[in-house]
Amino acid sequence: MRELEPVFAIWDSLAEFNTSESDAALRHLFECLAKLVRADNVFWFSAVRLMSGELTNEDLGHGWRMRSYEVWRPDPAKQARLQLLQKSLDKKSDVPLGLTTTTISGEAGRFRVHRLRDGWIDFKTFKSTPHYDLFYRLPRIDDRIWVVVPLGPDTESYFVIDKIATRTRFSASDAELAGVVLRGIKWFHRALALSHGLIAARSPLTAMERRVTRLLLTGRSEKEIADALGSTLGTTHNHVGQIFRKFGVRSRAELTAIWLGHRK
């Protein structure tokens, strides 16, 4: 059990964050994962199913699309590549999708952990593609771990962990350890998706709606929220109403109940 002590420590530390602190908790988790497996960057994104059945037969993403994402150490080039990846999924880019994207999305519905070179794709073939040149060789990614947690039939939570410009690789035990950490906190994956309006809501939250939601969950009044955001009370009230409509609730108590898992 001693080898699991770092895992337990991460779980315990995440439990100290309250429901309004999902962004801070995510940054903390990024830092913990990077330290645990000696990684250089970590990012999270959600994937949602936009089509099913026969419609997915010709779709390279098997009906799945990337939605909200957060990066531990963001940079403009990485942001641009993530946006290009989304365009590739929608066939709005000349850069074809890579084997990693098409393969991992085709495995949807089950928990999975992969390393770039662990045999789950034909790496020799992948290495000769334009996708590899743009998304791996150019940003100098030496190795990558994917950990994917299904949150239901139409939503999944991805954590992607990178070694960059170090000429080193992740071990099998690194991948296993990251998988144990992330599999044991499904509640946290759900909270992340909720904070972006990706489950339980009728449509994703805007950046401002996310800020207002975080403050609503602290119990602050609308006036206090308006003051904190430097906004007017009327504008804040409109944001609160839109948030309630998106989540299909009529009160702050009902909204909080969703975060606490008391309502689907």
Side-chain angles (χ1 to χ4, degrees):
M1 295 293 289
R2 181 174 299 175
E3 64 273 15
L4 291 179
E5 283 302 321
V7 175
F8 299 150
I10 293 173
W11 291 348
D12 289 345
S13 63
L14 282 176
E16 295 297 318
F17 291 87
N18 64 44
T19 54
S20 66
E21 298 177 314
S22 59
D23 286 1
L26 179 59
R27 288 193 297 272
H28 174 72
L29 179 56
F30 282 159
E31 292 169 3
C32 289
L33 287 170
K35 181 178 180 180
L36 187 69
V37 299
R38 299 169 300 283
D40 301 293
N41 207 356
V42 188
F43 65 97
W44 165 85
F45 69 89
S46 64
V48 297
R49 189 196 300 272
L50 298 185
M51 62 185 80
S52 58
E54 294 183 0
L55 291 174
T56 65
N57 292 341
E58 302 299 321
D59 186 71
L60 295 177
H62 302 277
W64 291 84
R65 294 293 184 271
M66 180 176 68
R67 280 299 175 256
S68 300
Y69 61 85
E70 303 286 347
V71 183
W72 179 37
R73 292 174 171 169
D75 65 80
K78 187 168 191 63
Q79 306 294 100
R81 284 191 294 271
L82 286 170
Q83 292 169 4
L84 181 58
L85 177 61
Q86 182 63 53
K87 290 180 179 179
S88 298
L89 277 163
D90 294 332
K91 298 181 180 180
K92 296 178 180 178
S93 168
D94 293 332
V95 179
L97 283 179
L99 285 171
T100 51
T101 305
T102 58
T103 303
I104 206 164
S105 60
E107 299 172 336
R110 64 180 179 85
F111 175 81
R112 54 229 193 254
V113 181
H114 290 301
R115 284 180 295 141
L116 185 58
R117 296 174 177 80
D118 68 2
W120 67 294
I121 61 166
D122 182 342
F123 181 72
K124 183 177 180 180
T125 297
F126 179 52
K127 195 174 180 180
S128 66
T129 64
H131 183 98
Y132 181 86
D133 284 339
L134 180 61
F135 290 97
Y136 292 83
R137 196 188 313 278
L138 182 62
R140 302 179 68 189
I141 294 176
D142 296 311
D143 205 0
R144 171 168 285 179
I145 295 172
W146 292 258
V147 182
V148 191
V149 179
L151 300 178
D154 300 315
T155 311
E156 295 197 321
S157 178
Y158 280 68
F159 274 78
V160 182
I161 308 168
D162 288 336
K163 279 187 178 291
I164 303 172
T166 60
R167 296 186 179 274
T168 60
R169 299 180 185 177
F170 294 113
S171 66
S173 61
D174 287 336
E176 182 179 14
L177 200 55
V180 171
V181 169
L182 292 167
R183 190 168 195 173
I185 52 171
K186 189 171 182 178
W187 62 270
F188 183 74
H189 295 273
R190 181 178 181 276
L192 278 178
L194 275 173
S195 72
H196 286 267
L198 299 173
I199 54 176
R202 294 167 182 165
S203 59
L205 300 179
T206 66
M208 180 56 73
E209 287 168 354
R210 292 191 67 230
R211 294 174 68 189
V212 172
T213 299
R214 288 197 296 270
L215 293 170
L216 276 171
L217 293 170
T218 67
R220 297 191 195 187
S221 68
E222 289 189 12
K223 184 180 185 309
E224 289 171 330
I225 293 172
D227 290 344
L229 297 177
S231 183
T232 66
L233 182 58
T235 298
T236 299
H237 182 73
N238 289 337
H239 284 311
V240 171
Q242 184 65 12
I243 291 163
F244 284 2
R245 283 189 288 274
K246 286 187 175 183
F247 281 101
V249 301
R250 293 172 295 180
S251 68
R252 188 189 305 240
E254 289 184 3
L255 182 69
T256 302
I258 293 175
W259 254 258
L260 297 176
H262 297 158
R263 177 179 166 184
K264 295 182 180 180

